[in-house]
């Protein structure tokens, strides 16, 4: 069940050749070999490797008839493309194999996904693999053929399956007929037969009309529900019709009820959507996400590819908030370039291949860091700190192709350390030990790789690492 249309093979080969030659291709982020990518799916550790599936149109660099693309990694940093895992070849998924998740059970990999039929009716489906490469769709699909009566059958998708004790749970994103977002909770003893358990709602429409891509994960005695709501109106910090956030609370395994505190934004940058927590990693929680939104420009489509994923992040619950850190495996790929102290302004050496990490610590005064700078100074991506309002700003208005505006986040206290990861066409800014992360795709012209520091602040430390493809 992982075949794609053979008539498209020649076209795929030429698309792939053009995509691989694109200067915006990443070195340490997962991206498709060609074609379109959006949501991450089925993120799991299985049989000695990390597997990441993703929404994929292999035939064009735009959304279309969606397959499940597939990649694997030994370390969450370097990714190997694999053959398409799921193709829309059944009546119940003829309109696309939409997002879902994975669970490991009895040595097999179970992947759950939404089948979107030709009339956009959405059902929850299953495919099973014994080797992590070849998948057989379940003969009795769909495993959930219809939502509860109150839910729109065209807005019922993105199953996240997890185990608690001896039972399995599934949470599915939904829009009810009153145009309010919900999460529907199901329960199963065998992953094949599912029963409705409960519905999680916000109680009003301020959190949008549709809750996409729910994820429920656990640390210690806390449960975290991650959502990507559409149509948020009551939360001014959410500045997109497609955004992502989370609740921290408690999940009642007997009733499926979820009690929680406030809703928090996951990433105050530009490009972060449909996050997913990896399954079957026992010692840490690792999250990935589509490094884009539906509003993100995609100039790489001219080179026959579009979309990529964030650098996976380790997640820690602290009170009612989440803290983030790049996966520890990235460290072995970073090679020192320069480390200086008491810097108040100037220019750093350009990064080789415009990929690596910049770490800075500064006093509590205004400062500006310009990345991907052109030689004439007209093109750059700017990170600045406004001391009077304790805010970090990410400005893409001079960042090259498809330049955009500015996003800001107000901090509780002055920035201590900024860790900035660059990868040819991406910027990820970790602030104060991961209390906030700001993510953006940028598309600098070739040769724009300089780094400059401006402003009043004295930087106690500035350290720069390049990225080594072979550590």
């Amino acid at each position: 069940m992982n075949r794609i249309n053979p008539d498209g093979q020649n076209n795929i080969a030429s698309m792939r050749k053009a995509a691989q030659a694109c200067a915006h291709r990443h070195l340490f982020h997962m991206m498709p070999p060609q074609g379109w990518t959006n949501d991450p799916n089925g993120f799991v550790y299985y049989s000695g490797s990390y597997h990441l599936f993703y929404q994929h149109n292999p035939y064009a660099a735009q959304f279309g008839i969606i397959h499940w693309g597939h990649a694997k990694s030994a370390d969450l940093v370097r990714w190997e493309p694999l053959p398409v895992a799921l193709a829309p070849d059944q009546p119940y998924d003829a309109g696309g194999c939409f997002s879902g998740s994975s669970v490991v059970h009895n040595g097999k990999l179970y992947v759950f996904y939404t089948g979107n039929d030709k009339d956009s009716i959405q059902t929850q489906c299953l495919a099973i693999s014994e080797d992590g490469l070849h998948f057989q769709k379940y003969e009795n699909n769909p495993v959930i053929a219809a939502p509860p009566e109150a839910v729109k059958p065209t807005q019922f998708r993105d199953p996240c399956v997890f185990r608690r004790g001896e039972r399995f749970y599934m949470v599915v994103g939904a829009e009810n007929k009153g145009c309010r977002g919900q999460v529907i909770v199901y329960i199963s003893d065998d992953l094949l037969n599912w029963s409705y358990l409960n519905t999680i709602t916000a109680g009003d429409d301020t959190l949008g009309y549709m809750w996409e891509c729910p994820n429920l994960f656990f640390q210690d005695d806390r449960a975290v529900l991650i959502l990507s709501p559409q149509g948020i109106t009551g939360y001014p910090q959410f500045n997109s019709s497609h955004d992502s956030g989370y609740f921290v609370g408690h999940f009642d395994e007997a009733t499926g009820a979820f009690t929680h505190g406030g809703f928090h934004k996951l990433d105050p940058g530009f490009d972060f959507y449909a996050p997913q927590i990896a399954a079957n990693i026992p010692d840490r929680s690792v999250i990935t996400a589509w490094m884009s939104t539906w509003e993100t420009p995609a100039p790489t489509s001219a080179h026959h590819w579009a979309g990529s994923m964030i650098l996976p992040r380790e997640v820690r619950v602290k009170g009612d908030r989440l803290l983030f850190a790049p996966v520890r495996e990235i460290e072995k790929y970073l090679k020192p370039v320069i480390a200086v102290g008491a810097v108040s302004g100037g220019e750093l050496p350009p990064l080789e291949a415009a990929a690596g990490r910049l770490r800075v610590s500064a006093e509590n005064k205004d400062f500006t860091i310009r990345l991907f700078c052109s030689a004439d100074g007209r093109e750059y991506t700017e990170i600045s700190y406004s001391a009077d309002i304790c805010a970090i700003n990410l400005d893409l208005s001079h960042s090259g192709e498809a330049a955009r505006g500015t996003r800001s986040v107000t901090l509780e206290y002055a920035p201590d350390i900024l860790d900035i990861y660059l990868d040819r066409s991406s910027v990820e800014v970790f602030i104060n030990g991961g209390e906030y992360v700001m993510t953006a795709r940028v598309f600098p012209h070739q040769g724009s790789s300089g780094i400059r520091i401006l402003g009043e602040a004295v930087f106690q430390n500035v350290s720069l690492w390049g990225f080594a493809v072979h550590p």
Side-chain angles (χ1 to χ4, degrees):
M1 297 300 176
N2 56 359
R3 291 175 296 177
I4 62 176
N5 185 347
D7 295 335
Q9 292 289 359
N10 290 336
N11 184 48
I12 285 175
S14 61
M15 288 173 58
R16 185 169 297 189
K17 183 177 180 180
Q20 299 304 314
C22 178
H24 295 311
R25 298 286 288 182
H26 302 297
L27 295 184
F28 57 92
H29 288 75
M30 205 294 295
M31 58 194 163
Q34 88 292 326
W36 167 269
T37 292
N38 56 286
D39 308 357
N41 297 154
F43 190 21
V44 65
Y45 184 77
Y46 175 70
S47 191
S49 296
Y50 298 95
H51 291 257
L52 181 55
F53 306 88
Y54 52 93
Q55 296 285 275
H56 181 44
N57 179 4
Y59 305 113
Q62 60 191 27
F63 188 82
I65 300 300
I66 292 298
H67 300 55
W68 269 35
H70 187 190
K72 74 174 184 178
S73 175
D75 58 13
L76 295 164
V77 179
R78 299 287 289 171
W79 293 91
E80 174 191 351
L82 295 174
V84 163
L86 298 176
D89 56 7
Q90 300 296 316
Y92 54 77
D93 61 19
C97 298
F98 282 6
S99 289
S101 61
S102 296
V103 64
V104 178
H105 180 55
N106 291 336
K108 298 178 182 180
L109 184 60
Y110 289 68
V111 300
F112 291 84
Y113 70 100
T114 295
N116 188 62
D117 76 7
K118 62 182 179 60
D119 297 316
S120 298
I121 300 299
Q122 297 178 347
T123 57
Q124 312 319 314
C125 304
L126 167 65
I128 303 171
S129 176
E130 297 186 3
D131 61 3
L133 186 62
H134 303 92
F135 292 84
Q136 181 67 42
K137 292 180 181 177
Y138 180 47
E139 62 183 0
N140 292 323
N141 270 341
V143 294
I144 300 179
E149 176 61 28
V151 170
K152 295 180 179 180
T154 57
Q155 296 279 64
F156 176 56
R157 57 183 174 267
D158 312 333
C160 171
V161 176
F162 56 92
R163 185 171 189 161
R164 299 293 288 173
E166 296 303 313
R167 309 194 79 179
F168 299 95
Y169 296 82
M170 178 192 295
V171 292
V172 185
E175 176 184 352
N176 71 13
K177 293 176 181 177
C179 300
R180 291 183 179 178
Q182 298 182 330
V183 167
I184 314 300
V185 185
Y186 294 88
I187 193 165
S188 174
D189 292 321
D190 60 4
L191 292 171
L192 304 178
N193 300 285
W194 293 88
S195 300
Y196 170 83
L197 185 61
N198 209 333
T199 297
I200 300 170
T201 67
D204 59 35
D205 60 1
T206 59
L207 257 179
Y209 60 83
M210 172 66 194
W211 288 359
E212 289 197 306
C213 303
N215 263 227
L216 191 60
F217 76 98
F218 302 84
Q219 278 192 14
D220 301 324
D221 63 341
R222 312 304 299 279
V224 181
L225 178 62
I226 293 174
L227 302 170
S228 293
Q230 297 176 338
I232 295 178
T233 60
Y235 292 75
Q237 71 271 32
F238 288 81
N239 43 22
S240 170
S241 61
H242 298 81
D243 218 322
S244 299
Y246 63 92
F247 299 106
V248 176
H250 298 276
F251 179 70
D252 188 316
E253 296 173 20
T255 67
F258 179 67
T259 56
H260 56 82
F263 192 62
H264 302 289
K265 191 176 177 74
L266 268 163
D267 188 303
F270 287 82
D271 300 314
F272 184 100
Y273 194 67
Q276 185 168 95
I277 297 288
N280 203 41
I281 302 180
D283 60 340
R284 54 180 170 163
S285 300
V286 177
I287 194 171
T288 191
W290 183 30
M291 193 159 54
S292 188
T293 71
W294 295 104
E295 292 82 24
T296 302
T300 59
S301 61
H303 302 275
H304 301 290
W305 73 283
S308 56
M309 304 299 166
I310 65 167
L311 174 64
R313 302 169 187 174
E314 298 183 21
V315 186
R316 182 165 60 91
V317 180
K318 183 179 180 181
D320 69 342
R321 302 299 295 269
L322 300 182
L323 302 180
F324 303 93
V327 288
R328 61 198 71 171
E329 289 87 346
I330 189 68
E331 294 293 335
K332 68 181 180 181
Y333 289 93
L334 299 173
K335 56 181 181 180
V337 175
I338 189 172
V340 296
V343 176
S344 57
E347 187 166 336
L348 298 177
L351 283 173
E352 181 181 350
R357 178 177 70 192
L358 176 66
R359 174 176 290 169
V360 300
S361 58
E363 63 179 338
N364 187 20
K365 293 183 179 179
D366 290 356
F367 64 77
T368 297
I369 301 168
R370 289 182 176 171
L371 312 165
F372 298 118
C373 298
S374 61
D376 63 8
R378 295 182 179 181
E379 182 174 296
Y380 53 85
T381 294
E382 184 171 283
I383 301 166
S384 63
Y385 172 61
S386 303
D388 58 337
I389 57 174
C390 202
I392 293 287
N393 313 295
L394 178 58
D395 183 354
L396 307 187
S397 59
H398 300 88
S399 63
E401 294 183 76
R404 294 178 275 170
T406 302
R407 295 281 170 88
S408 300
V409 60
T410 301
L411 312 179
E412 287 75 22
Y413 56 92
D416 179 19
I417 293 176
L418 299 184
D419 272 330
I420 305 166
Y421 288 80
L422 313 175
D423 192 5
R424 290 186 170 177
S425 61
S426 65
V427 178
E428 293 165 276
V429 186
F430 291 77
I431 304 165
N432 287 345
E435 290 184 356
Y436 298 95
V437 188
M438 303 182 78
T439 303
R441 290 296 305 275
V442 295
F443 304 97
H445 291 96
Q446 197 160 358
S448 295
S449 59
I451 298 175
R452 295 173 186 148
I453 295 175
L454 310 168
E456 303 174 8
V458 173
F459 289 80
Q460 288 87 9
N461 179 67
V462 177
S463 298
L464 182 64
W465 294 260
F467 183 84
V469 174
H470 304 289

